[in-house]
Amino acid sequence: FLLVFGVIKFAKATVIIMFTEMVITEYRVITKTGVTTTTCIEIDRSRIAGVIVFQTFTGRLLGFGEIYIQGFSGSIVDMPYI
């Protein structure tokens, strides 16, 4: 059972990584995600209110985590598996 759960979780993470584009420039942060439909979130650098970095224990050991960038308008850009 745990092996099946692990394979499903790994497959989901692989699909997310394959179909996510992230761009951080000196002017803005852009994230584009989606397989069949596309969602694009763009925040100007001057409008960023905060940054949250989330890492699990395994993520700390293997060097990956999630970054959440929040804008003043309340929009949140999620950058998973970085």
Side-chain angles (χ1 to χ4, degrees):
F1 176 73
L2 290 178
L3 180 64
V4 173
F5 179 72
V7 169
I8 291 172
K9 190 160 177 90
F10 179 76
K12 179 183 174 189
T14 303
V15 168
I16 289 172
I17 290 170
M18 288 177 58
F19 292 100
T20 300
E21 298 177 26
M22 296 172 269
V23 179
I24 301 174
T25 67
E26 60 185 78
Y27 300 109
R28 66 188 85 176
V29 176
I30 304 167
T31 301
K32 183 177 172 185
T33 59
V35 178
T36 57
T37 60
T38 304
T39 303
C40 184
I41 300 174
E42 182 175 329
I43 298 178
D44 287 339
R45 193 182 108 215
S46 62
R47 303 292 300 165
I48 293 176
V51 177
I52 300 169
V53 178
F54 176 74
Q55 282 186 308
T56 61
F57 179 72
T58 308
R60 286 181 148 254
L61 290 176
L62 299 176
F64 69 91
E66 294 188 47
I67 298 175
Y68 298 97
I69 300 174
Q70 184 174 10
F72 283 117
S73 64
S75 61
I76 296 177
V77 177
D78 179 18
M79 297 185 161
Y81 306 112
I82 290 185

